[in-house]
Amino acid sequence: MPARLTLVLGGARSGKSAHAEALARGAAVAGVLPAYVATAEALDAEMAERIARHRADRDGQFETFETTLDLGETLRRAAARGAPVLVDCLTLWITNLMVHERDIAAAVADFGDALDAVEVPVVLVANEVGLGIVPDNAMARRFRDEAGRLNQRLAARAETVLFIAAGLPLRLKG
Amino acid sequence: MPARLTLVLGGARSGKSAHAEALARGAAVAGVLPAYVATAEALDAEMAERIARHRADRDGQFETFETTLDLGETLRRAAARGAPVLVDCLTLWITNLMVHERDIAAAVADFGDALDAVEVPVVLVANEVGLGIVPDNAMARRFRDEAGRLNQRLAARAETVLFIAAGLPLRLKG
Amino acid sequence: MPARLTLVLGGARSGKSAHAEALARGAAVAGVLPAYVATAEALDAEMAERIARHRADRDGQFETFETTLDLGETLRRAAARGAPVLVDCLTLWITNLMVHERDIAAAVADFGDALDAVEVPVVLVANEVGLGIVPDNAMARRFRDEAGRLNQRLAARAETVLFIAAGLPLRLKG
């Protein structure tokens, strides 16, 4: 069990990442930058530009770890530094696993084991994606199912769960 | 007026059904299984598989009633057993009415009459579908309007309204 | 700074407009109708029909101002009457600015200046659009970003922020 697990949920452009970053910085110990585990994969120019902008935004405030698939392993490495770890975001990670046709159940189980093993505060960012109309294509529906299921599972084990809208937090738990 | 009306709202894979099932079982009287009114219609293999999985999940915990269109009538029959009734879900029912080109206003009015007449606790599950971007096609926009209007109407008469995200309830009313 | 700024967020058919209208009427002074700033543009018959229905609904309860692009200027004119101003809605305004290829940053800055200058209670209605899956097309993603960013900015300066679901308010702030 990590010292403390916080799940930050929200929609696109809800301010969830900024809120989660503030939580991770607030939990940091003096002299050690918190870790930032980024899961975004630059599949096109638009994504590459977003990733570069986000990296510049957190320059000097976080030690960055990048991973697109092996989140459990990266969480273990990031946590070994002894500072809080922020993972942004789980929903992109699920997307990556689907795009690369990985075994999602196995990857989620490994990530769960890593969460059990680490001893630093962990802040997880995830998108809420199930509140629009049913998507046309089966892939998007499966993605929505996988993302929603992971959110439920992590919310059940987190001490604190927040839902962010327009930059403001609603406390779902803790 | 039913003894008690609860509306459980949430997105896809939000955990709303599991939460509603727990509420209905909790309201049940000893010796009589609560009723489960399922509105899903197996339009394709994916839906058929979901329906079968859901049916297996609740085996032995609910008496199941299936209806795709005549929800008012089915609610009356289900409630006559004297145990709580769970309806899952209203949004699929609206979809069914649209697909079969039924008179939605008339069906909703009949369902409202049935809610007035029954004397057992009723738990209704509905999807929140209006929080994504505006859908491309007019049918989806009309669906979104009908579903949203029904949610507002039932929320106004319910004693308790919950919004579920990641399996956790936010209390909107009651 | 306006006397009081309220931001009402919600999805399509969430009841956010009705809630906002009640807030604006409640803040009105005797003898002067509150102002209603409508941003909807009739791009097709469906929109024209919605606009006409909304206009009829508020007949005799609001003094209506219509604008599709120059929201800052319209807010100043509407506020000069000395009664509360309701703006419905900001998300359509962002859509209009994008469709007409206006400078969104400049328009938002001008609107911010107008909010600073007016001395009546202002109620703003905006859509939450980021809670479905990622849209297929780049224009929709950019719209989602712009709308979300504006919501965050206004939420930060508002005294009260409400999230409406099924006609019921959740208080995010104030």
Side-chain angles (χ1 to χ4, degrees):
Chain A
M1 268 270 293
R4 197 165 70 246
L5 181 61
T6 303
L7 176 62
V8 179
L9 294 166
R13 289 293 135 201
S14 62
K16 61 188 186 310
S17 292
H19 196 91
E21 288 174 21
L23 291 178
R25 283 200 310 269
V29 288
V32 190
L33 291 180
Y36 188 103
V37 177
T39 62
E41 183 168 24
L43 294 169
D44 56 29
E46 184 183 329
M47 279 297 290
E49 194 260 330
R50 275 188 199 231
I51 291 171
R53 199 172 55 229
H54 284 160
R55 195 184 291 133
D57 284 351
R58 61 179 187 267
D59 190 38
Q61 306 195 304
F62 287 92
E63 176 84 18
T64 296
F65 294 76
E66 296 190 334
T67 184
T68 53
L69 298 169
D70 301 317
L71 185 57
E73 172 54 24
T74 307
L75 173 60
R76 287 182 189 94
R77 279 197 296 125
R81 298 171 59 254
V85 178
L86 169 61
V87 178
D88 190 355
C89 83
L90 295 172
T91 315
L92 279 174
W93 177 55
I94 292 288
T95 306
N96 297 340
L97 292 171
M98 285 183 71
V99 167
H100 293 275
E101 300 185 356
R102 294 293 181 96
D103 180 336
I104 293 179
V108 166
D110 178 59
F111 178 57
D113 289 346
L115 281 175
D116 283 340
V118 303
E119 292 177 349
V120 294
V122 174
V123 181
L124 305 174
V125 175
N127 268 72
E128 176 59 63
V129 295
L131 289 159
I133 64 158
V134 179
D136 284 338
N137 73 81
M139 179 79 158
R141 287 195 298 275
R142 191 185 147 220
F143 162 68
R144 210 165 67 141
D145 285 355
E146 296 287 359
R149 222 174 269 133
L150 180 60
N151 287 353
Q152 284 188 54
R153 183 170 168 164
L154 293 170
R157 80 186 282 167
E159 276 83 26
T160 306
V161 183
L162 303 173
F163 182 90
I164 311 290
L168 301 170
L170 269 174
R171 191 165 293 265
L172 287 166
K173 181 179 180 181
Chain B
M1 268 272 294
R4 197 167 68 244
L5 181 61
T6 303
L7 176 63
V8 180
L9 295 167
R13 289 293 137 200
S14 63
K16 62 189 185 309
S17 292
H19 196 91
E21 288 174 22
L23 291 178
R25 284 200 309 270
V29 288
V32 190
L33 290 179
Y36 188 104
V37 176
T39 61
E41 183 169 24
L43 294 169
D44 56 30
E46 184 184 329
M47 279 297 291
E49 194 260 331
R50 274 186 200 233
I51 291 170
R53 198 172 57 227
H54 284 160
R55 194 185 289 132
D57 284 351
R58 62 180 188 264
D59 190 38
Q61 307 195 302
F62 288 92
E63 176 84 18
T64 296
F65 294 76
E66 296 188 336
T67 184
T68 53
L69 299 168
D70 301 318
L71 185 56
E73 172 57 23
T74 308
L75 173 59
R76 288 182 189 92
R77 279 197 297 123
R81 297 171 60 254
V85 179
L86 169 61
V87 178
D88 190 354
C89 83
L90 295 172
T91 316
L92 279 174
W93 177 55
I94 292 288
T95 305
N96 298 339
L97 292 171
M98 285 182 71
V99 167
H100 293 274
E101 300 184 357
R102 293 292 181 99
D103 181 337
I104 292 180
V108 166
D110 178 60
F111 178 57
D113 289 346
L115 281 176
D116 283 339
V118 303
E119 293 177 347
V120 294
V122 174
V123 180
L124 305 174
V125 176
N127 269 72
E128 176 58 63
V129 294
L131 289 161
I133 64 157
V134 179
D136 283 339
N137 72 82
M139 180 79 158
R141 287 194 298 274
R142 193 186 145 218
F143 161 69
R144 208 166 68 141
D145 284 354
E146 296 287 0
R149 223 174 267 134
L150 181 60
N151 287 354
Q152 284 189 53
R153 184 170 168 163
L154 293 169
R157 81 187 280 168
E159 275 82 24
T160 306
V161 182
L162 303 173
F163 182 89
I164 312 291
L168 301 171
L170 269 174
R171 191 165 294 264
L172 286 168
K173 182 178 180 180
Chain C
M1 268 269 297
R4 198 166 68 245
L5 181 61
T6 303
L7 176 63
V8 180
L9 294 167
R13 289 295 136 199
S14 63
K16 62 189 184 310
S17 292
H19 197 89
E21 288 175 20
L23 291 178
R25 284 200 310 269
V29 288
V32 191
L33 290 180
Y36 188 105
V37 176
T39 61
E41 183 169 24
L43 294 169
D44 56 30
E46 184 184 328
M47 279 298 290
E49 194 260 330
R50 277 188 196 229
I51 291 171
R53 198 171 58 227
H54 284 159
R55 194 185 290 133
D57 284 352
R58 62 179 186 264
D59 190 37
Q61 307 195 302
F62 287 92
E63 176 84 17
T64 296
F65 294 75
E66 296 189 335
T67 184
T68 53
L69 298 168
D70 301 318
L71 185 55
E73 172 55 25
T74 308
L75 173 59
R76 287 183 189 93
R77 279 197 296 125
R81 298 171 59 254
V85 179
L86 169 61
V87 178
D88 190 353
C89 79
L90 295 172
T91 316
L92 280 174
W93 178 55
I94 292 288
T95 305
N96 298 340
L97 293 172
M98 285 183 71
V99 167
H100 293 273
E101 300 184 355
R102 293 293 182 98
D103 181 336
I104 293 179
V108 166
D110 178 59
F111 178 57
D113 289 345
L115 282 175
D116 282 339
V118 303
E119 293 177 347
V120 295
V122 174
V123 181
L124 305 174
V125 176
N127 269 71
E128 177 58 62
V129 296
L131 290 159
I133 63 157
V134 179
D136 284 337
N137 73 82
M139 179 79 159
R141 287 195 299 274
R142 191 186 147 217
F143 162 67
R144 208 166 68 142
D145 284 355
E146 296 286 359
R149 223 173 268 135
L150 180 60
N151 287 354
Q152 285 188 52
R153 183 170 168 163
L154 292 169
R157 79 188 282 167
E159 275 81 26
T160 305
V161 182
L162 303 173
F163 181 90
I164 311 292
L168 302 171
L170 270 174
R171 191 165 293 265
L172 286 168
K173 181 179 181 182

